[in-house]
Every structure is written in C-alpha cells, then in structure tokens.
Amino acid sequence: MRVQMLGLCRFSYLGMRGYQVEHDSIAARRAYLYESARMERRWQWFTTVALPGWLAQTDPDFTLVVMTGPDLPQPCLDHLQGLCERVPQMRLSLVPPMEYHLQACRAAVAPHVDPAADVIGHFRHDDDDAVALDYVAEARADFARVSALWQAEGRLSLDYGRGFMVEARDGQLKITPRICHNMGVALTIFLRPDAEETALHFNHTKLAQWMPGVQVNRQPMFLRSIHADSDSGDMGPGLPWQPEDGTLNLILRQRFGLRRGDLADLARRLEAGGAGGAC
C-alpha cells in the first residue's frame, strides 16, 4: 500500500480566519503578520526549531508544502523560495488572501497530492514547532500496523503524544516533558487521495467526531513552542513524564537534531530584540 506523507506549514499566510488571533480586515491582518520585527522572530523560530527535523528525516519520502502569500515581504520571500529550491521535499505555495482559510489550505495542498498513492498521510506543522527525526518513518510503519481501521472508514488519525513544551518567556527557556492528546504537531490524518479535506479541515481537538484514532507514545516525537508570538499561548491539558536524569540534552540532539544551548540562546536574543534574522 503506497502511503504519501504530505504536510502543510503556514508561514505568516495572509488570509482571514483559521487562527485564534483574529482581525477585522486584510489590511489589519497584513499589518500584524508582516511587521518587520515579528517576521524576524518567526524566521528564527522556523530555521532554529522547525527546519532541522525536516532536513534530517530518516525517511526522506515526504512532501512539506510551505504556504504563504505572494506579497510576503522581502527578503523573507526570497529566502523561502531559495530554501524550497534546495530541499527536494519542500514546496513553496503562494496563495493570495482568501476569506475562507480551509479553501486556501486546500488550494496549497491539492497540487501536491499523488493520485497514484493509495493513502495520503496529511499533517499540519506550525513554523515554530519540531518533529522527531523519525516522524515520517514511524508514521508510515505504525499506519501499516493499524491500516484495517483506515480501510473501514477511509479516515484515521495517528497521534504521537509524547514530547516537550518549550516556553520562551522573559529571555528564559523552560522545557516541560508532556504527554498530550491530539496536540496537532506529530499528528497524521490518513485520507483517500480523492478526499477534499486536508489535515487543517479537522479540528485536532475534536477528531473523534470524524474518525477513529490511535495514539502511540513510545518515544518523544514533538516539540511545541510557546512564546509571545504564539497563536495559542498555553500548554493545554496533558500528563507529565520525566526523562531519566541527565538525558534531556541527549534526547534533544538524538531525537530532534536540536541543541538546548541554541534554544536558550534564541530565547535570550528574542527577548533582547536582537533576533538578527534573515527576514
């Protein structure tokens, strides 16, 4: 059974709805999203936290669509275009502002659906979060173990609930191990190739309304960032878990390709107003 892993990452997409922070007009939203200091911060989160995991996936057979607007300010648009030209798995989708966010997401993803695939593993990814280096490989393998559930309905969610909440506040970094249910990151929605929906069409907190779901918590699989620019600024419900003493730095390196010192340095620089970003 051929499974295509297909993700969508929204990078300051200029459109209405679809976010918890809302605006009354496109002009107001543009002013908020494209403010230069905010753009620098988003680029730093994207390149420091989100990007390393995608560049080093143990299974390179995936597509990550980076969705933004055609009027994204320079030089950020050039940097995104250059990145997607260099990385075979990444595709840049320039979607004009649309009133209905789900239509915009579908417009970004639809051209990249492989009609020859039997199953599409849709996933969403925020530009300041991270997945483990084996997320794609594990999602594909675990789907094979439970594919009968998908065959029954043509829909199935596979959630990796063990991970870390990374808070950057007042220049300080705090990392909290957490087990969460359908957080949104490292969550895959398996659909048929002809389905009209993407991962964004299903509220990740209410997936049980639409499909059966499986959660796997073997290894840490996600890192979710919480900071001043977060669309949602709290951890939400979950359970604590504790890595073995002295292993946190090793887990960050081996599972996510990240260094704790780099994350702490980013938190300090953002607080000081010195993001130094390429955007």
Side-chain angles (χ1 to χ4, degrees):
M1 185 180 294
R2 161 68 176 151
V3 177
Q4 181 192 18
M5 292 293 290
L6 177 59
L8 178 64
C9 177
R10 301 167 296 173
F11 188 88
S12 295
Y13 170 66
L14 179 59
M16 302 303 288
R17 315 185 192 209
Y19 300 93
Q20 294 190 40
V21 177
E22 296 185 348
H23 298 89
D24 294 330
S25 68
I26 287 290
R29 191 156 194 81
R30 179 182 283 108
Y32 168 76
L33 289 178
Y34 291 172
E35 191 269 326
S36 59
R38 181 188 179 278
M39 291 296 300
E40 286 193 3
R41 294 192 298 270
R42 298 309 299 197
W43 184 256
Q44 288 298 304
W45 280 107
F46 180 56
T47 55
T48 302
V49 178
L51 195 54
W54 295 118
L55 296 181
Q57 283 293 305
T58 59
D59 181 351
D61 184 13
F62 69 93
T63 298
L64 180 65
V65 179
V66 181
M67 171 186 176
T68 192
D71 64 342
L72 186 76
Q74 297 288 8
C76 202
L77 181 56
D78 279 347
H79 289 308
L80 277 180
Q81 288 174 328
L83 176 65
C84 292
E85 289 171 0
R86 294 192 304 271
V87 181
Q89 294 86 359
M90 298 182 71
R91 304 284 189 272
L92 184 62
S93 181
L94 303 180
V95 181
M98 297 178 67
E99 179 70 21
Y100 295 100
H101 191 72
L102 296 182
Q103 291 180 3
C105 293
R106 178 63 186 171
V109 170
H112 305 283
V113 172
D114 180 3
D118 300 296
V119 188
I120 311 297
H122 291 272
F123 58 91
R124 61 190 292 170
H125 190 80
D126 287 351
D127 58 15
D128 53 0
D129 292 340
V131 294
L133 305 183
D134 58 355
Y135 161 66
V136 171
E138 289 297 295
R140 185 170 274 121
D142 284 330
F143 173 76
R145 297 183 178 101
V146 296
S147 60
L149 283 173
W150 174 81
Q151 291 174 334
E153 297 187 36
R155 293 176 175 179
L156 174 70
S157 67
L158 175 62
D159 177 39
Y160 292 110
R162 186 183 300 270
F164 298 97
M165 299 294 185
V166 175
E167 297 179 81
R169 302 186 191 277
D170 301 321
Q172 300 297 311
L173 180 75
K174 179 182 178 181
I175 300 178
T176 304
R178 197 82 165 166
I179 296 175
C180 306
H181 182 60
N182 290 343
M183 177 58 60
V185 58
L187 169 67
T188 313
I189 308 296
F190 292 94
L191 302 172
R192 294 189 175 94
D194 59 354
E196 291 296 321
E197 299 89 355
T198 70
L200 273 297
H201 281 75
F202 302 97
N203 184 328
H204 60 88
T205 67
K206 301 177 181 179
L207 281 176
Q209 292 181 347
W210 300 291
M211 66 190 72
V214 175
Q215 184 173 70
V216 180
N217 295 323
R218 287 188 301 264
Q219 294 280 352
M221 195 66 81
F222 75 84
L223 185 154
R224 178 170 177 257
S225 298
I226 301 173
H227 49 87
D229 293 312
S230 297
D231 191 48
S232 176
D234 60 77
M235 287 196 296
L239 300 171
W241 69 277
Q242 189 61 44
E244 294 184 14
D245 290 345
T247 63
L248 178 56
N249 291 355
L250 181 63
I251 292 172
L252 290 175
R253 290 198 305 271
Q254 291 185 342
R255 297 292 302 153
F256 300 95
L258 300 174
R259 294 184 177 275
R260 188 175 185 177
D262 292 339
L263 300 178
D265 180 62
L266 176 61
R268 287 192 295 268
R269 288 188 287 113
L270 294 177
E271 174 64 19
C279 282

